[in-house]
mmCIF file with all atom_site columns, all heavy atoms in Angstrom:
data_model
loop_
_atom_site.group_PDB
_atom_site.id
_atom_site.type_symbol
_atom_site.label_atom_id
_atom_site.label_alt_id
_atom_site.label_comp_id
_atom_site.label_asym_id
_atom_site.label_entity_id
_atom_site.label_seq_id
_atom_site.pdbx_PDB_ins_code
_atom_site.Cartn_x
_atom_site.Cartn_y
_atom_site.Cartn_z
_atom_site.occupancy
_atom_site.B_iso_or_equiv
_atom_site.pdbx_formal_charge
_atom_site.auth_seq_id
_atom_site.auth_comp_id
_atom_site.auth_asym_id
_atom_site.auth_atom_id
_atom_site.pdbx_PDB_model_num
ATOM 1   N N   . GLY A 1 340 ? 39.043 -59.113 -20.152 1.00 96.00 ? 340 GLY A N   1
ATOM 2   C CA  . GLY A 1 340 ? 39.880 -60.178 -19.618 1.00 96.00 ? 340 GLY A CA  1
ATOM 3   C C   . GLY A 1 340 ? 41.258 -59.691 -19.237 1.00 96.00 ? 340 GLY A C   1
ATOM 4   O O   . GLY A 1 340 ? 41.740 -59.880 -18.129 1.00 96.00 ? 340 GLY A O   1
ATOM 5   N N   . LEU A 1 341 ? 41.950 -59.079 -20.233 1.00 95.00 ? 341 LEU A N   1
ATOM 6   C CA  . LEU A 1 341 ? 43.262 -58.462 -20.034 1.00 95.00 ? 341 LEU A CA  1
ATOM 7   C C   . LEU A 1 341 ? 44.306 -59.432 -19.501 1.00 95.00 ? 341 LEU A C   1
ATOM 8   O O   . LEU A 1 341 ? 45.282 -59.028 -18.869 1.00 95.00 ? 341 LEU A O   1
ATOM 9   C CB  . LEU A 1 341 ? 43.148 -57.253 -19.095 1.00 95.00 ? 341 LEU A CB  1
ATOM 10  C CG  . LEU A 1 341 ? 42.203 -56.140 -19.574 1.00 95.00 ? 341 LEU A CG  1
ATOM 11  C CD1 . LEU A 1 341 ? 42.076 -55.061 -18.520 1.00 95.00 ? 341 LEU A CD1 1
ATOM 12  C CD2 . LEU A 1 341 ? 42.698 -55.560 -20.882 1.00 95.00 ? 341 LEU A CD2 1
ATOM 13  N N   . GLY A 1 342 ? 44.114 -60.726 -19.764 1.00 93.00 ? 342 GLY A N   1
ATOM 14  C CA  . GLY A 1 342 ? 45.074 -61.719 -19.308 1.00 93.00 ? 342 GLY A CA  1
ATOM 15  C C   . GLY A 1 342 ? 45.022 -61.976 -17.823 1.00 93.00 ? 342 GLY A C   1
ATOM 16  O O   . GLY A 1 342 ? 45.855 -62.722 -17.292 1.00 93.00 ? 342 GLY A O   1
ATOM 17  N N   . VAL A 1 343 ? 44.035 -61.374 -17.141 1.00 94.00 ? 343 VAL A N   1
ATOM 18  C CA  . VAL A 1 343 ? 43.917 -61.510 -15.683 1.00 94.00 ? 343 VAL A CA  1
ATOM 19  C C   . VAL A 1 343 ? 42.629 -62.218 -15.307 1.00 94.00 ? 343 VAL A C   1
ATOM 20  O O   . VAL A 1 343 ? 42.618 -63.156 -14.514 1.00 94.00 ? 343 VAL A O   1
ATOM 21  C CB  . VAL A 1 343 ? 43.983 -60.123 -14.999 1.00 94.00 ? 343 VAL A CB  1
ATOM 22  C CG1 . VAL A 1 343 ? 43.741 -60.245 -13.501 1.00 94.00 ? 343 VAL A CG1 1
ATOM 23  C CG2 . VAL A 1 343 ? 45.315 -59.456 -15.283 1.00 94.00 ? 343 VAL A CG2 1
ATOM 24  N N   . ASN A 1 344 ? 41.524 -61.772 -15.889 1.00 96.00 ? 344 ASN A N   1
ATOM 25  C CA  . ASN A 1 344 ? 40.213 -62.337 -15.600 1.00 96.00 ? 344 ASN A CA  1
ATOM 26  C C   . ASN A 1 344 ? 39.956 -63.494 -16.552 1.00 96.00 ? 344 ASN A C   1
ATOM 27  O O   . ASN A 1 344 ? 39.666 -63.290 -17.732 1.00 96.00 ? 344 ASN A O   1
ATOM 28  C CB  . ASN A 1 344 ? 39.146 -61.246 -15.773 1.00 96.00 ? 344 ASN A CB  1
ATOM 29  C CG  . ASN A 1 344 ? 37.748 -61.743 -15.501 1.00 96.00 ? 344 ASN A CG  1
ATOM 30  O OD1 . ASN A 1 344 ? 37.549 -62.750 -14.829 1.00 96.00 ? 344 ASN A OD1 1
ATOM 31  N ND2 . ASN A 1 344 ? 36.765 -61.028 -16.030 1.00 96.00 ? 344 ASN A ND2 1
ATOM 32  N N   . ASP A 1 345 ? 40.072 -64.719 -16.047 1.00 94.00 ? 345 ASP A N   1
ATOM 33  C CA  . ASP A 1 345 ? 39.969 -65.886 -16.927 1.00 94.00 ? 345 ASP A CA  1
ATOM 34  C C   . ASP A 1 345 ? 38.540 -66.388 -17.090 1.00 94.00 ? 345 ASP A C   1
ATOM 35  O O   . ASP A 1 345 ? 38.306 -67.367 -17.799 1.00 94.00 ? 345 ASP A O   1
ATOM 36  C CB  . ASP A 1 345 ? 40.868 -67.020 -16.427 1.00 94.00 ? 345 ASP A CB  1
ATOM 37  C CG  . ASP A 1 345 ? 40.524 -67.467 -15.005 1.00 94.00 ? 345 ASP A CG  1
ATOM 38  O OD1 . ASP A 1 345 ? 39.568 -66.937 -14.426 1.00 94.00 ? 345 ASP A OD1 1
ATOM 39  O OD2 . ASP A 1 345 ? 41.240 -68.348 -14.489 1.00 94.00 ? 345 ASP A OD2 1
ATOM 40  N N   . ASP A 1 346 ? 37.577 -65.728 -16.463 1.00 96.00 ? 346 ASP A N   1
ATOM 41  C CA  . ASP A 1 346 ? 36.186 -66.134 -16.625 1.00 96.00 ? 346 ASP A CA  1
ATOM 42  C C   . ASP A 1 346 ? 35.290 -64.905 -16.744 1.00 96.00 ? 346 ASP A C   1
ATOM 43  O O   . ASP A 1 346 ? 34.404 -64.675 -15.922 1.00 96.00 ? 346 ASP A O   1
ATOM 44  C CB  . ASP A 1 346 ? 35.732 -67.003 -15.449 1.00 96.00 ? 346 ASP A CB  1
ATOM 45  C CG  . ASP A 1 346 ? 34.394 -67.679 -15.714 1.00 96.00 ? 346 ASP A CG  1
ATOM 46  O OD1 . ASP A 1 346 ? 34.069 -67.910 -16.903 1.00 96.00 ? 346 ASP A OD1 1
ATOM 47  O OD2 . ASP A 1 346 ? 33.670 -67.967 -14.740 1.00 96.00 ? 346 ASP A OD2 1
ATOM 48  N N   . PRO A 1 347 ? 35.524 -64.086 -17.783 1.00 98.00 ? 347 PRO A N   1
ATOM 49  C CA  . PRO A 1 347 ? 34.702 -62.883 -17.947 1.00 98.00 ? 347 PRO A CA  1
ATOM 50  C C   . PRO A 1 347 ? 33.247 -63.232 -18.196 1.00 98.00 ? 347 PRO A C   1
ATOM 51  O O   . PRO A 1 347 ? 32.939 -64.245 -18.831 1.00 98.00 ? 347 PRO A O   1
ATOM 52  C CB  . PRO A 1 347 ? 35.334 -62.185 -19.160 1.00 98.00 ? 347 PRO A CB  1
ATOM 53  C CG  . PRO A 1 347 ? 36.054 -63.275 -19.884 1.00 98.00 ? 347 PRO A CG  1
ATOM 54  C CD  . PRO A 1 347 ? 36.511 -64.242 -18.855 1.00 98.00 ? 347 PRO A CD  1
ATOM 55  N N   . GLN A 1 348 ? 32.358 -62.371 -17.716 1.00 98.00 ? 348 GLN A N   1
ATOM 56  C CA  . GLN A 1 348 ? 30.927 -62.611 -17.821 1.00 98.00 ? 348 GLN A CA  1
ATOM 57  C C   . GLN A 1 348 ? 30.255 -61.588 -18.727 1.00 98.00 ? 348 GLN A C   1
ATOM 58  O O   . GLN A 1 348 ? 30.669 -60.436 -18.809 1.00 98.00 ? 348 GLN A O   1
ATOM 59  C CB  . GLN A 1 348 ? 30.267 -62.539 -16.438 1.00 98.00 ? 348 GLN A CB  1
ATOM 60  C CG  . GLN A 1 348 ? 30.629 -63.668 -15.507 1.00 98.00 ? 348 GLN A CG  1
ATOM 61  C CD  . GLN A 1 348 ? 29.755 -63.668 -14.267 1.00 98.00 ? 348 GLN A CD  1
ATOM 62  O OE1 . GLN A 1 348 ? 29.314 -62.620 -13.809 1.00 98.00 ? 348 GLN A OE1 1
ATOM 63  N NE2 . GLN A 1 348 ? 29.495 -64.841 -13.725 1.00 98.00 ? 348 GLN A NE2 1
ATOM 64  N N   . HIS A 1 349 ? 29.197 -62.052 -19.387 1.00 98.00 ? 349 HIS A N   1
ATOM 65  C CA  . HIS A 1 349 ? 28.264 -61.196 -20.110 1.00 98.00 ? 349 HIS A CA  1
ATOM 66  C C   . HIS A 1 349 ? 26.935 -61.277 -19.367 1.00 98.00 ? 349 HIS A C   1
ATOM 67  O O   . HIS A 1 349 ? 26.424 -62.379 -19.120 1.00 98.00 ? 349 HIS A O   1
ATOM 68  C CB  . HIS A 1 349 ? 28.066 -61.671 -21.548 1.00 98.00 ? 349 HIS A CB  1
ATOM 69  C CG  . HIS A 1 349 ? 29.309 -61.660 -22.373 1.00 98.00 ? 349 HIS A CG  1
ATOM 70  N ND1 . HIS A 1 349 ? 29.440 -60.876 -23.493 1.00 98.00 ? 349 HIS A ND1 1
ATOM 71  C CD2 . HIS A 1 349 ? 30.477 -62.343 -22.261 1.00 98.00 ? 349 HIS A CD2 1
ATOM 72  C CE1 . HIS A 1 349 ? 30.633 -61.068 -24.037 1.00 98.00 ? 349 HIS A CE1 1
ATOM 73  N NE2 . HIS A 1 349 ? 31.277 -61.963 -23.292 1.00 98.00 ? 349 HIS A NE2 1
ATOM 74  N N   . LEU A 1 350 ? 26.379 -60.120 -19.024 1.00 98.00 ? 350 LEU A N   1
ATOM 75  C CA  . LEU A 1 350 ? 25.162 -60.075 -18.225 1.00 98.00 ? 350 LEU A CA  1
ATOM 76  C C   . LEU A 1 350 ? 24.071 -59.297 -18.935 1.00 98.00 ? 350 LEU A C   1
ATOM 77  O O   . LEU A 1 350 ? 24.344 -58.303 -19.608 1.00 98.00 ? 350 LEU A O   1
ATOM 78  C CB  . LEU A 1 350 ? 25.421 -59.395 -16.877 1.00 98.00 ? 350 LEU A CB  1
ATOM 79  C CG  . LEU A 1 350 ? 26.586 -59.892 -16.034 1.00 98.00 ? 350 LEU A CG  1
ATOM 80  C CD1 . LEU A 1 350 ? 26.741 -59.014 -14.800 1.00 98.00 ? 350 LEU A CD1 1
ATOM 81  C CD2 . LEU A 1 350 ? 26.375 -61.345 -15.626 1.00 98.00 ? 350 LEU A CD2 1
ATOM 82  N N   . ILE A 1 351 ? 22.845 -59.740 -18.782 1.00 98.00 ? 351 ILE A N   1
ATOM 83  C CA  . ILE A 1 351 ? 21.679 -58.933 -19.113 1.00 98.00 ? 351 ILE A CA  1
ATOM 84  C C   . ILE A 1 351 ? 20.874 -58.760 -17.838 1.00 98.00 ? 351 ILE A C   1
ATOM 85  O O   . ILE A 1 351 ? 20.495 -59.747 -17.182 1.00 98.00 ? 351 ILE A O   1
ATOM 86  C CB  . ILE A 1 351 ? 20.817 -59.586 -20.207 1.00 98.00 ? 351 ILE A CB  1
ATOM 87  C CG1 . ILE A 1 351 ? 21.530 -59.520 -21.567 1.00 98.00 ? 351 ILE A CG1 1
ATOM 88  C CG2 . ILE A 1 351 ? 19.458 -58.878 -20.304 1.00 98.00 ? 351 ILE A CG2 1
ATOM 89  C CD1 . ILE A 1 351 ? 20.756 -60.181 -22.701 1.00 98.00 ? 351 ILE A CD1 1
ATOM 90  N N   . PHE A 1 352 ? 20.648 -57.499 -17.470 1.00 98.00 ? 352 PHE A N   1
ATOM 91  C CA  . PHE A 1 352 ? 19.732 -57.191 -16.390 1.00 98.00 ? 352 PHE A CA  1
ATOM 92  C C   . PHE A 1 352 ? 18.363 -56.968 -17.023 1.00 98.00 ? 352 PHE A C   1
ATOM 93  O O   . PHE A 1 352 ? 18.103 -55.924 -17.624 1.00 98.00 ? 352 PHE A O   1
ATOM 94  C CB  . PHE A 1 352 ? 20.207 -55.958 -15.619 1.00 98.00 ? 352 PHE A CB  1
ATOM 95  C CG  . PHE A 1 352 ? 21.523 -56.159 -14.914 1.00 98.00 ? 352 PHE A CG  1
ATOM 96  C CD1 . PHE A 1 352 ? 22.712 -55.743 -15.495 1.00 98.00 ? 352 PHE A CD1 1
ATOM 97  C CD2 . PHE A 1 352 ? 21.567 -56.781 -13.667 1.00 98.00 ? 352 PHE A CD2 1
ATOM 98  C CE1 . PHE A 1 352 ? 23.923 -55.931 -14.856 1.00 98.00 ? 352 PHE A CE1 1
ATOM 99  C CE2 . PHE A 1 352 ? 22.777 -56.972 -13.017 1.00 98.00 ? 352 PHE A CE2 1
ATOM 100 C CZ  . PHE A 1 352 ? 23.960 -56.552 -13.607 1.00 98.00 ? 352 PHE A CZ  1
ATOM 101 N N   . GLU A 1 353 ? 17.529 -57.985 -16.892 1.00 97.00 ? 353 GLU A N   1
ATOM 102 C CA  . GLU A 1 353 ? 16.201 -57.932 -17.507 1.00 97.00 ? 353 GLU A CA  1
ATOM 103 C C   . GLU A 1 353 ? 15.311 -56.988 -16.729 1.00 97.00 ? 353 GLU A C   1
ATOM 104 O O   . GLU A 1 353 ? 15.166 -57.093 -15.507 1.00 97.00 ? 353 GLU A O   1
ATOM 105 C CB  . GLU A 1 353 ? 15.587 -59.326 -17.549 1.00 97.00 ? 353 GLU A CB  1
ATOM 106 C CG  . GLU A 1 353 ? 14.220 -59.362 -18.199 1.00 97.00 ? 353 GLU A CG  1
ATOM 107 C CD  . GLU A 1 353 ? 13.548 -60.709 -18.063 1.00 97.00 ? 353 GLU A CD  1
ATOM 108 O OE1 . GLU A 1 353 ? 14.138 -61.620 -17.440 1.00 97.00 ? 353 GLU A OE1 1
ATOM 109 O OE2 . GLU A 1 353 ? 12.413 -60.856 -18.576 1.00 97.00 ? 353 GLU A OE2 1
ATOM 110 N N   . ASN A 1 354 ? 14.677 -56.080 -17.440 1.00 97.00 ? 354 ASN A N   1
ATOM 111 C CA  . ASN A 1 354 ? 13.781 -55.095 -16.836 1.00 97.00 ? 354 ASN A CA  1
ATOM 112 C C   . ASN A 1 354 ? 12.414 -55.726 -16.619 1.00 97.00 ? 354 ASN A C   1
ATOM 113 O O   . ASN A 1 354 ? 11.718 -56.079 -17.571 1.00 97.00 ? 354 ASN A O   1
ATOM 114 C CB  . ASN A 1 354 ? 13.680 -53.874 -17.743 1.00 97.00 ? 354 ASN A CB  1
ATOM 115 C CG  . ASN A 1 354 ? 13.024 -52.689 -17.079 1.00 97.00 ? 354 ASN A CG  1
ATOM 116 O OD1 . ASN A 1 354 ? 12.257 -52.829 -16.145 1.00 97.00 ? 354 ASN A OD1 1
ATOM 117 N ND2 . ASN A 1 354 ? 13.321 -51.499 -17.593 1.00 97.00 ? 354 ASN A ND2 1
#
Side-chain angles (χ1 to χ4, degrees):
L341 301 175
V343 175
N344 180 21
D345 59 2
D346 192 27
Q348 291 190 329
H349 299 242
L350 309 175
I351 289 178
F352 296 97
E353 181 188 1
N354 192 336

